Each structure stands twice: as structure tokens, then as C-alpha cells.
Amino acid sequence: MSGLASLNLPSETGSGDWHFDNVFSGTGTSYGFYAGNGAAINTNHLFGSTGIQEVSKILENLNLSFEGQEAYAASHSRAIADLMFDCISKHTHTSFIVLDDWLTDSDDIKSLRAFIDILSANITTKQNELLNSWKFSNFK
């Protein structure tokens, strides 16, 4: 999983969003719930498995069911990069992706910058315009 779903899982650094019920209750809308090979959002060709972690124990502790013995989710910085890729690929707005809402730890921000640099090198000029606008608003 990635996107807002991953951003609502607890992290060691305390980053993320805390609209857990809205994202996981089935009544809310979520950008990027499932991601990876065969999913609507797939950034594996850009980022490989970097930022992907096994989260079955976290999901069990949150009483969330999943198929199989293992479950994987994007780190918060990867989840944001995945959201950016999805929005930019569709030429849709990125204004809901507010960095200060999710990341406060300098290592998380450094990790996100690395993902964004990879993304920037692999998108069109028009898509880079959208990305640069978002970067100007979020990286201070």
C-alpha cells in the first residue's frame, strides 16, 4: 500500500497523517491505497523497493485485515513521492500534498528529496513544471 493509506500507518519518527478512520473505514476517499505491480499506482520502475517495508505486525495491531502472511507499505516519504507521481502523471492538482502535514523529521525530508530528484529526472518538462511548483510551496 502507499499514498494516504501508508501515511496513516504509525512511523518510528512520528511522521504521517492521523485521519485513520476516514482512510480505513471504507467510507472515505483515499489517494493511493494499493500500489505496486499490477496496481493503479506503480513507481517500482523509478524507485525499486526503496522505502518499502513489511508492515504485517503494524496492520495486525491496528486490527486491519490483509491477505497472506506478509503485507508491505511505502514509508511516509515514499508514499508522498508515489502520490506526487500519480498526480503529476495525470496532470492533476498536488495542493493536497502538504509536506508540513506529514513530515517533520529531517531524515524523512532528506529521503523524500531523493525520491523527488529521481522522479524529476524521469518525467516530462510539463510534469516537471507541476513538480517544481509543488517543491517551491513545500521545500523551504
Side-chain angles (χ1 to χ4, degrees):
M1 74 176 70
S2 188
L4 293 181
S6 287
L7 285 165
N8 277 276
L9 296 178
S11 77
E12 292 177 6
T13 62
S15 64
D17 195 16
W18 308 115
H19 294 93
F20 182 85
D21 289 336
N22 189 39
V23 171
F24 289 105
S25 69
T27 59
T29 58
S30 177
Y31 288 91
F33 202 90
Y34 296 107
N37 295 334
I41 299 173
N42 183 4
T43 58
N44 291 344
H45 65 288
L46 296 172
F47 309 132
S49 61
T50 304
I52 303 299
Q53 53 204 4
E54 207 285 325
V55 295
S56 59
K57 293 208 182 322
I58 292 171
L59 297 179
E60 289 169 357
N61 290 340
L62 296 169
N63 294 317
L64 294 172
S65 60
F66 56 94
E67 293 180 16
Q69 299 296 312
E70 297 177 333
Y72 294 88
S75 66
H76 290 174
S77 55
R78 168 77 182 254
I80 293 169
D82 288 349
L83 284 171
M84 290 301 301
F85 173 80
D86 187 51
C87 291
I88 289 170
S89 294
K90 296 175 181 172
H91 298 280
T92 61
H93 74 93
T94 58
S95 60
F96 74 97
I97 305 172
V98 180
L99 188 56
D100 288 343
D101 288 352
W102 294 318
L103 298 183
T104 56
D105 183 77
S106 61
D107 287 338
D108 288 338
I109 294 169
K110 183 179 177 181
S111 174
L112 176 59
R113 283 184 183 271
F115 284 121
I116 295 300
D117 288 346
I118 293 167
L119 179 60
S120 179
N122 288 281
I123 57 178
T124 67
T125 301
K126 178 80 171 151
Q127 291 167 328
N128 259 306
E129 289 173 10
L130 294 169
L131 181 62
N132 288 334
S133 176
W134 177 85
K135 285 168 49 176
F136 181 78
S137 298
N138 284 275
F139 287 129
K140 308 220 171 21

